[in-house]
Amino acid sequence: MSVTVRRMNTQDAEAVLAINEKITGRPHEAQYESRIIDALTRNPLGCLVAETEGVVVGFILGELRGWEFAIPKSGWIEIVGVDPDFHGKGIARALIEKLDLYFRNQNVERVMTMINWNEGGLVGFFRALGFERSEFILLEKEPGRR
């Protein structure tokens, strides 16, 4: 199977949303399409899709950030998704490696992402790509709760 990773365009939004629905098993939220368009507008080189035989089978949205939380210029993987029918075929790895090349060309000091610690397979996948646990801790609360 041949996989091509290319820049995402606005016409890919429907395929990206369909993959996300397949992964989550639920319809996408109304604002997701506008988030894709916003990402394409802000950072078009950080938005990629993977195709096989002309069909979009995966996507990744990444962006450059700096100064928040005293973090130096960094590349962030916002979301990566692969059609479940194509899991285990190296598509996520190809997307992340292509995005990593973009980040290196932008002279970022680190690449970061956020995942659920309880998803061991995902933790293992990112560790196999060289990611390590960060010194940052995610804190959360319910709105209105003290």
Side-chain angles (χ1 to χ4, degrees):
M1 178 181 77
S2 174
V3 175
T4 302
V5 176
R6 64 167 174 80
R7 282 178 53 185
M8 185 185 295
N9 60 55
T10 55
Q11 292 79 25
D12 295 318
E14 193 172 313
V16 167
L17 293 171
I19 290 170
N20 192 61
E21 287 182 11
K22 253 178 126 170
I23 293 167
T24 64
R26 60 183 189 271
H28 65 273
E29 306 251 347
Q31 75 271 17
Y32 285 6
E33 187 169 4
S34 64
R35 289 190 67 191
I36 293 169
I37 303 305
D38 184 49
L40 282 167
T41 302
R42 278 189 343 266
N43 195 28
L45 297 177
C47 303
L48 307 170
V49 293
E51 287 183 323
T52 184
E53 298 179 18
V55 176
V56 174
V57 295
F59 66 94
I60 193 166
L61 299 178
E63 73 175 337
L64 299 171
R65 290 189 190 162
W67 78 268
E68 302 109 323
F69 315 109
I71 298 172
K73 184 178 180 183
S74 301
W76 277 81
I77 297 173
E78 293 293 321
I79 185 170
V80 59
V82 174
D83 183 319
D85 295 338
F86 292 86
H87 282 184
K89 301 193 182 307
I91 293 169
R93 178 182 293 273
L95 286 161
I96 291 168
E97 287 175 354
K98 187 76 156 198
L99 185 62
D100 191 62
L101 177 62
Y102 165 64
F103 289 151
R104 284 194 315 251
N105 289 335
Q106 296 300 311
N107 299 313
V108 302
E109 293 187 29
R110 62 179 60 192
V111 177
M112 303 179 79
T113 192
M114 188 173 6
I115 60 174
N116 186 325
W117 184 252
N118 295 319
E119 293 188 36
L122 200 51
V123 173
F125 170 75
F126 276 98
R127 282 200 165 151
L129 292 174
F131 284 79
E132 297 176 9
R133 189 170 179 175
S134 170
E135 67 269 18
F136 294 95
I137 298 171
L138 177 68
L139 301 175
E140 66 178 26
K141 77 173 197 79
E142 294 176 20
R145 186 172 183 185
R146 288 172 42 113

